Amino acid sequence: MLAKFRPALLCLALACTPASAADLMTFWDSPQKGGNSFNAGEPDAAYFEALAATGASWVRLTFSKWKGEGRDFLLGNADHYEGLPAKDLERLKKALDAAYAAGLKVVATPLSLPGARWKQQNGGKFDDRLWSDPAFADQAVKFWRDLASALKDHPAIAAYNLLNEPAPEKTTGLTENAAMADIQAWQQKNAGGTRDLPQLYARMIEAIRAVDPVTPVMVDGGYYANPRALAAWPKRLADDKVLYAFHMYEPYDATSAPNMKRETPLSYPGITTDYAGGKTTWDRKAVAQHIGTAFDWAKTQGLPPTRVVAAEFGCMRLWADCGTYLTDVMDAVEEKGGHWAFYSFREDEWEGMDYELSAKVKPGQFYWLKDQGKADTLPRNGKLMDLLKARMQK
């Protein structure tokens, strides 16, 4: 019951004064562990309380799946952004209130921006307009200025993650895990143009700082938050309150859903894939090297490891090697001194990476109970969540 009134009590104690830059960045000065919330509906108080009970200190919260006033939640319409729909904003703030009451910090994360509608809400087609039409960059900048102005004083907010998994490289012929020389050459060729991700981020941050000088900003590297794409940036961003994020699903051929459809799923360690212009056999060392690319780049830029975030990582819960893989990823990030957030916590429309579910719970059972409105009856005693809890509760 106390949790329900915690925000009000804290406001009385602190007079609800806006946090200083030091206050907000201090949260990120020591490694934080959390989870991703990618639900189709707004998470309620019980959801956030359950996540906090795992030992998580933060949640990377996307709202883009929620049904909004217009076609795209909080954007109105990604084809032409005009302003934040009031009712959508009210619902987002309600979710933030619930997360705060549970004791969680929140990183607000859109899956879509103007001209970059999330593929799964765009007929399965990659939306390249943000990366090819300057008008959409202008709209994206305006969106973030508006959102930062609306959220800047909310006590739950720990950072703004400007866009989930940007991929300005996608349509240009560059392969995702190309040789580093090719990735760097691509970055140099596109510097100053519409596909220059660091330049777009700099514009967004400038707009945010005009209304909110203190809240940290989290930026994903290019090509779906690949750490090697981040490492191709010639320099860090000028703002000193930036967290640099990557996602970790490599080797994707093994960790992803298609692997589970194979007669004999690919195994880890041992799978060999195309990588960096050659071949790599994935094991604990290869995972650490891939992840280390982001930390090595940060070090060259004079950044501490606590400015680097493994903002997503995961594997299919029914994959026999998932526990080994999760352990190797967490070990690699923690040995470097960074932050992490597993994907994902109690996703309401997909069971593939819901680690609370026992291996005895098959996908068909999940979807049947979901359709019957009985998803809350699923047994949540999965061993993989025990593995994650042990790390979060250290």
Side-chain angles (χ1 to χ4, degrees):
M1 190 69 176
L2 179 60
K4 179 178 179 181
F5 299 102
R6 190 178 299 155
L9 292 172
L10 287 177
C11 277
L12 288 173
L14 300 176
C16 284
T17 55
S20 69
D23 292 334
L24 290 170
M25 286 307 292
T26 296
F27 175 75
W28 300 106
D29 282 343
S30 59
Q32 302 296 332
K33 301 165 186 176
N36 278 270
S37 177
F38 270 54
N39 285 7
E42 296 100 309
D44 59 13
Y47 173 94
F48 289 118
E49 288 164 4
L51 177 56
T54 68
S57 62
W58 69 290
V59 56
R60 186 167 172 268
L61 175 68
T62 187
F63 43 79
S64 298
K65 291 184 178 182
W66 306 352
K67 184 174 177 56
E69 288 189 63
R71 176 173 176 179
D72 303 291
F73 188 89
L74 211 59
L75 289 170
N77 193 320
D79 297 336
H80 185 72
Y81 172 72
E82 296 181 335
L84 302 175
K87 291 182 180 178
D88 289 1
L89 180 60
E90 182 181 343
R91 288 162 57 196
L92 175 58
K93 287 183 175 180
K94 182 178 179 181
L96 294 176
D97 291 344
Y100 180 61
L104 290 169
K105 286 294 186 181
V106 176
V107 174
T109 308
L111 303 182
S112 299
L113 285 179
R117 183 177 284 116
W118 186 43
K119 181 178 178 180
Q120 294 187 42
Q121 294 175 334
N122 197 48
K125 297 179 180 179
F126 178 77
D127 189 352
D128 192 58
R129 294 174 297 168
L130 177 60
W131 313 117
S132 56
D133 185 343
F136 285 105
D138 294 342
Q139 292 176 38
V141 168
K142 183 180 187 302
F143 166 77
W144 265 114
R145 180 183 175 119
D146 292 348
L147 187 57
S149 182
L151 299 184
K152 62 182 179 179
D153 294 327
H154 199 288
I157 292 291
Y160 306 129
N161 194 166
L162 300 184
L163 176 61
N164 179 70
E165 297 190 347
E169 309 92 339
K170 174 75 172 176
T171 63
T172 65
L174 182 72
T175 57
E176 184 172 351
N177 273 311
M180 183 55 76
D182 292 339
I183 301 172
Q184 291 170 330
W186 184 94
Q187 185 67 46
Q188 184 175 6
K189 176 183 177 182
N190 287 276
T194 57
R195 297 183 189 276
D196 187 341
L197 183 59
Q199 177 177 267
L200 177 60
Y201 282 153
R203 288 188 61 200
M204 290 178 178
I205 293 170
E206 182 181 14
I208 289 169
R209 294 295 173 239
V211 296
D212 178 356
V214 301
T215 303
V217 170
M218 188 177 291
V219 296
D220 289 11
Y223 235 139
Y224 301 115
N226 191 309
R228 299 176 68 246
L230 172 65
W233 289 8
K235 60 183 179 180
R236 59 185 281 187
L237 296 171
D239 192 276
D240 63 359
K241 294 179 284 295
V242 176
L243 300 154
Y244 297 86
F246 67 90
H247 296 179
M248 181 59 185
Y249 298 102
E250 295 293 348
Y252 186 78
D253 286 350
T255 62
S256 60
N259 189 33
M260 304 307 295
K261 297 179 181 179
R262 293 186 172 96
E263 185 174 347
T264 302
L266 300 174
S267 297
Y268 172 88
I271 175 179
T272 298
T273 67
D274 293 333
Y275 184 81
K279 299 282 187 181
T280 286
T281 298
W282 291 90
D283 56 15
R284 180 181 179 84
K285 181 178 179 181
V287 162
Q289 287 178 336
H290 183 69
I291 287 171
T293 306
F295 289 94
D296 293 344
W297 174 83
K299 186 175 182 180
T300 68
Q301 300 299 315
L303 296 165
T306 50
R307 294 297 173 263
V308 180
V309 187
E312 285 186 28
F313 68 95
C315 46
M316 296 296 290
R317 66 180 181 86
L318 295 178
W319 182 41
D321 302 317
C322 191
T324 301
Y325 177 79
L326 293 174
T327 297
D328 287 353
V329 172
M330 290 186 290
D331 283 349
V333 176
E334 291 174 16
E335 286 168 9
K336 290 291 187 179
H339 314 282
W340 58 251
F342 68 88
Y343 189 94
S344 61
F345 186 69
R346 294 189 185 178
E347 192 165 344
D348 55 2
E349 58 180 1
W350 187 57
E351 50 69 45
M353 294 184 183
D354 187 341
Y355 307 114
E356 286 186 314
L357 297 179
S358 164
K360 295 180 180 179
V361 177
K362 302 307 178 187
Q365 182 182 1
F366 172 88
Y367 295 112
W368 186 84
L369 288 172
K370 172 180 171 292
D371 290 343
Q372 298 296 313
K374 299 178 180 179
D376 58 351
T377 66
L378 285 163
R380 296 195 166 275
N381 58 351
K383 298 299 183 184
L384 292 173
M385 183 52 75
D386 290 342
L387 181 67
L388 292 166
K389 282 181 180 178
R391 294 301 187 102
M392 289 188 286
Q393 295 174 2
K394 274 187 178 180

